[in-house]
Amino acid sequence: KAFKLSSDLTKKEAINYNYYQTDTIKDNNASIKMYMKGIKEHEKQTFLDNVGPFIDPENKKRFFHMDYYRYYLKYDVLVLKHGMIKYNQTMIDTFGKPIFDFLTISSYADDYFKSRGVYDEMYECKGGLKKFLGLAVYGGRVNVCKEFKKKVINKTLNDYDGVSLYSTSIKRLCDENGVAIGKCKRINEDIIVENQNYYVVSVEITKINKKQQNPFIAQKTKDSLNYINEIPEGEKLIVVIDKHTLEDYIKFHQIEYTIIDGVYYDSGFNNQFKIICDVFNERKKQKALKTPEGDIKQGLYKLIMNSAYGKTLMKSDNEKDYIVKDVDFNTYLYNNFNTIKHAKKLNDKQYIITQQEPDESYNRASAGIAILSYSKRIMNEVMGLASDNNINIYYQDTDSMHMEDDKVKDLEGLFKAEYNRELTGKELGQFHCDFSHENPTAKNIVSVKSIFLGKKSYIDYLEGTLPDGTKSYCVHSRMKGINEIAKDNEALKQDGESMNDKMFGLYEDLANDYTIEFVLNPESKPSFKFTSEGVRLIKSGTFKREV
């Protein structure tokens, strides 16, 4: 669908995955009746429509199930083949290079921007410096406002979404300075760090004088990333942050602090990364064409934009796997015992051994940290204004926030007065309302009631207006770690006239502190496990998670 491939490649799947076990695959002949018991009800007619060529001519009640399965698998391969051909040619036409020169889209995008000078004169780093800078990497902020957590919000909410947040972040960074170039230097008592071009420092926050409705100060713990308005009692609050984050903590939280250690840059900036705007504008142009080719190209421009900076923050890769023959295993252990992390038997003849390796990898962390910090600043400016003016932000997920629909106009006016920029729109640096309805013709989509259980776990009861003026309803729900089929199966146990009501009831139970056990692999959703013997199908109904 994405690459507008021929409809001849389309298949309607009707497979009983659970039928294919160690014993059944030895015999290519199966009972049609028995096989159909494991097919979803709405797929049974599809099966009957397609099984004809595979029916056993000597017994019409049986069919060649392995041949039938291979027929479907063939389509997977053909779709992949023709998709890759189209993908590759479009990337050559659009960006000038084949995809087969790279393993990942991140590598492709990194090469594209690097070849255009966005990192010229910038130093990469490794070792202890890389590890220290890594402490200043904070991913997208996801937060539920404490006062609204696990409550039914019977208000009309909007999902106010930042346009291409990370591309906007790169643009803002380059408009105001850019990526720091030259070698970094260790701070000392003679240096006024705050006066330097850029820095990453270890800071003790000694006092937080201003609270935000949704706090911006990030505290890393062993297991999570929390956002706080107060220094935990009896603890020292020491964080590793960059210049832009420190400035935001001062502005939005009015912190008092002491710089302990760190590094700074004083050789100026490279702002060539602003070419991200060209990619954004070209995407808009292709999207406006409303042609099949334009639709494909806009998707690829979006892919490049979303992958623009990821390579700057590559983590250390200090492990390597080796395949060792069974006969050599003991000798290999003896000779390499001090670097071996673990070993696992692959089969009767081989082991796979994971060894620690010296970390010789480099990254461009100072660029990635600055981009991430600016992405937070973009959200901080909006949410800080909301907090100062008693406009509730119920939930934030990196580049979007749930807020009351009738307060959007108020926030626009406040933002214009404070920053002299238009807040709502579809250009880089702006926000727009971004709920999507299951009915594509629905407009003016809002949530009429919501529940926010925790990070990445919430439900919105959406209302949209159809062209004839009638209202249409659906739910948008997320629950981290729980797949859709598991949610649906539990929702079906709820009271309610519609599936929408049942799903909302499920979230209400969780909000009321009920514990619910979800089955992630019912019979219609096969799950697989990698073992030393290979890939094994997990028995249906045994993969469970309590929420």
Side-chain angles (χ1 to χ4, degrees), residues 327-366:
V327 293
D328 301 326
F329 180 64
N330 288 331
T331 303
Y332 196 91
L333 286 185
Y334 182 84
N335 290 334
N336 299 277
F337 70 92
N338 58 321
T339 60
I340 291 175
K341 192 170 182 182
H342 55 77
K344 185 172 81 171
K345 192 167 186 175
L346 278 179
N347 49 52
D348 292 339
K349 296 181 179 179
Q350 294 173 312
Y351 282 83
I352 183 167
I353 297 176
T354 302
Q355 281 181 252
Q356 296 278 51
E357 299 272 324
D359 179 18
E360 297 293 338
S361 62
Y362 285 81
N363 72 9
R364 300 184 293 274
S366 57

Side-chain angles (χ1 to χ4, degrees), residues 213 385-387 389-393 403 407 410-411 414:
Q213 184 192 40
L385 268 179
S387 182
N389 292 277
N390 299 314
I391 297 173
N392 291 325
I393 304 296
M403 62 178 292
K407 296 293 177 66
D410 295 341
L411 192 56
L414 291 164

Side-chain angles (χ1 to χ4, degrees), residues 14-28:
I15 299 286
N16 177 357
Y17 288 102
N18 286 301
Y19 188 84
Y20 297 92
Q21 305 288 343
T22 308
D23 53 342
T24 56
I25 62 174
K26 293 175 183 176
D27 182 5
N28 189 20

Side-chain angles (χ1 to χ4, degrees), residues 314-459:
M314 288 291 287
K315 293 182 179 179
S316 298
D317 184 16
N318 57 351
E319 291 182 3
K320 192 170 181 180
D321 290 336
Y322 294 91
I323 305 296
V324 177
K325 292 179 181 177
D326 181 59
V327 293
D328 301 326
F329 180 64
N330 288 331
T331 303
Y332 196 91
L333 286 185
Y334 182 84
N335 290 334
N336 299 277
F337 70 92
N338 58 321
T339 60
I340 291 175
K341 192 170 182 182
H342 55 77
K344 185 172 81 171
K345 192 167 186 175
L346 278 179
N347 49 52
D348 292 339
K349 296 181 179 179
Q350 294 173 312
Y351 282 83
I352 183 167
I353 297 176
T354 302
Q355 281 181 252
Q356 296 278 51
E357 299 272 324
D359 179 18
E360 297 293 338
S361 62
Y362 285 81
N363 72 9
R364 300 184 293 274
S366 57
I369 293 165
I371 292 166
L372 283 172
S373 293
Y374 257 87
S375 73
K376 309 287 192 310
R377 175 170 291 182
I378 291 159
M379 301 301 292
N380 293 345
E381 289 172 347
V382 180
M383 295 177 69
L385 268 179
S387 182
D388 289 345
N389 292 277
N390 299 314
I391 297 173
N392 291 325
I393 304 296
Y394 293 82
Y395 178 81
Q396 182 199 355
D397 191 343
T398 304
D399 62 349
S400 66
M401 48 201 162
H402 279 64
M403 62 178 292
E404 289 162 35
D405 187 55
D406 60 2
K407 296 293 177 66
V408 172
K409 283 288 181 190
D410 295 341
L411 192 56
E412 288 173 358
L414 291 164
F415 192 85
K416 177 71 173 177
E418 179 72 19
Y419 296 105
N420 196 29
R421 300 197 304 269
E422 297 296 334
L423 184 59
T424 299
K426 295 196 175 180
E427 298 296 325
L428 292 178
Q430 295 185 308
F431 286 73
H432 64 289
C433 301
D434 196 39
F435 274 134
S436 57
H437 199 282
E438 64 182 23
N439 187 326
T441 66
K443 304 291 183 186
N444 303 319
I445 305 159
V446 292
S447 174
V448 291
K449 58 179 178 176
S450 306
I451 298 174
F452 305 101
L453 298 174
K455 295 178 182 180
K456 304 284 186 183
S457 298
Y458 63 89
I459 186 168

Side-chain angles (χ1 to χ4, degrees), residues 167-182:
S167 297
T168 296
S169 175
I170 293 168
K171 177 185 181 296
R172 279 279 301 272
L173 176 65
C174 292
D175 284 347
E176 296 176 19
N177 37 70
V179 173
I181 59 174

Side-chain angles (χ1 to χ4, degrees), residues 222-241:
K222 185 179 178 183
D223 302 313
S224 63
L225 181 63
N226 300 316
Y227 295 94
I228 57 175
N229 266 322
E230 297 175 333
I231 298 171
E233 191 173 344
E235 292 183 27
K236 277 190 173 184
L237 181 55
I238 297 174
V239 294
V240 179
I241 52 179

